[in-house]
Amino acid sequence: MADFNNYQNRMAQTRAQSGALIDEGLRAYMLKVYNLMALALVITGVAAFGTYTLAASNPAVQQLLFASPLRWVVMLAPLALVFFLSFRIQNMSVSAAQTTFWVYAALMGVSLSSIFLVYTGQSIVQTFFVTAASFGALSLYGYTTKKDLSGMGSFLIMGLFGLIIASIVNIFLASSALQFAISAIGVLIFAGLTAYDTQKIKEMYFDADDVAVAGRKAIMGALTLYLDFINLFTFLLQFLGNRDD
């Protein structure tokens, strides 16, 4: 009987140690995801402000970037690169995938630089901090909740497709009422996706992954949360931003 009790105690200790190792690995994995995302946001911010500063001091550059056909390249280049990274990352080394992510973040910054021509710098900074606080709370909820958010995620993804279609339609309609509705729905969708994606990224963690697989997972997780943050920021800016008239 004593041997059986000792065996049970050893098994309980082994399970506890294994669980502790998994928890430690998960924390390290999620920390890497958030660090990659944060660095991408820094790159985007520096690229956006740098591009705006260059354009503001050089009318020819401003004309080229924001009023010539090149503006479509500036707007669409990040979209093309994010699709490339999403579909090719399994065949890329971790260093190549990470470099591609940094290039994408820089291109996104160039694309977003036009917001400095529309909104005041103070309102942009204020909206960024509101976005950061909201994102942090929502992501923490997605990380800690025991509730399965997959059902909500499916609904939100369908809503996202509807939002994209409505945005394309409004390019031709130029309706301010429809744009207001798109912005409001966009905030709600990306707020929900922040929590859902955080839970999904957490569930992707597997302690037996090798370094390359874990690295690629972390990069894709960072990219997903980065997109949630950027979209949440741009939709909130339409509500909170003061136009620079």
Side-chain angles (χ1 to χ4, degrees):
M1 185 66 178
D3 289 342
F4 179 71
N5 288 336
N6 289 335
Y7 172 76
Q8 285 185 313
N9 290 334
R10 287 196 301 271
M11 289 299 294
Q13 291 174 356
T14 300
R15 285 194 294 269
Q17 291 171 352
S18 177
L21 288 173
I22 290 174
D23 288 343
E24 183 179 348
L26 176 60
R27 285 193 293 270
Y29 163 74
M30 292 301 295
L31 183 61
K32 183 175 182 179
V33 170
Y34 286 122
N35 285 340
L36 288 169
M37 173 204 157
L39 184 52
L41 288 173
V42 170
I43 292 171
T44 297
V46 171
F49 187 72
T51 302
Y52 162 73
T53 302
L54 177 63
S57 62
N58 192 324
V61 174
Q62 184 172 333
Q63 175 73 20
L64 183 66
L65 289 178
F66 305 126
S68 74
L70 184 63
R71 73 183 188 276
W72 294 105
V73 177
V74 172
M75 287 190 294
L76 296 177
L79 181 63
L81 194 57
V82 78
F83 277 119
F84 173 82
L85 181 59
S86 299
F87 287 114
R88 294 287 300 171
I89 190 168
Q90 296 302 326
N91 300 318
M92 300 170 72
S93 67
V94 174
S95 59
Q98 189 166 300
T99 300
T100 304
F101 185 27
W102 302 150
V103 172
Y104 167 73
L107 288 174
M108 181 62 80
V110 175
S111 180
L112 288 175
S113 61
S114 59
I115 64 173
F116 290 98
L117 300 175
V118 180
Y119 300 99
T120 64
Q122 182 180 0
S123 67
I124 291 173
V125 172
Q126 290 175 341
T127 303
F128 176 85
F129 282 113
V130 170
T131 304
S134 302
F135 177 90
L138 291 162
S139 190
L140 180 63
Y141 171 75
Y143 183 79
T144 58
T145 184
K146 302 299 182 183
K147 181 180 179 181
D148 183 7
L149 302 180
S150 58
M152 180 183 77
S154 301
F155 176 77
L156 290 170
I157 290 171
M158 287 189 296
L160 179 58
F161 282 114
L163 188 71
I164 293 171
I165 293 171
S167 299
I168 294 172
V169 169
N170 203 41
I171 292 175
F172 303 99
L173 296 180
S175 167
S176 58
L178 180 56
Q179 184 58 48
F180 179 85
I182 290 171
S183 300
I185 295 170
V187 169
L188 295 175
I189 286 176
F190 283 101
L193 282 174
T194 298
Y196 164 73
D197 286 332
T198 300
Q199 185 179 79
K200 184 178 67 174
I201 292 164
K202 177 185 175 182
E203 292 174 348
M204 286 172 58
Y205 172 74
F206 181 51
D207 61 302
D209 281 338
D210 61 33
V211 175
V213 172
R216 286 193 288 263
K217 281 185 179 180
I219 292 169
M220 282 307 300
L223 174 62
T224 301
L225 292 182
Y226 169 89
L227 289 170
D228 290 338
F229 187 101
I230 290 294
N231 282 285
L232 188 60
F233 168 74
T234 54
F235 282 121
L236 280 173
L237 188 61
Q238 296 179 44
F239 288 109
L240 305 177
N242 295 321
R243 291 188 173 270
D244 191 9
D245 296 324

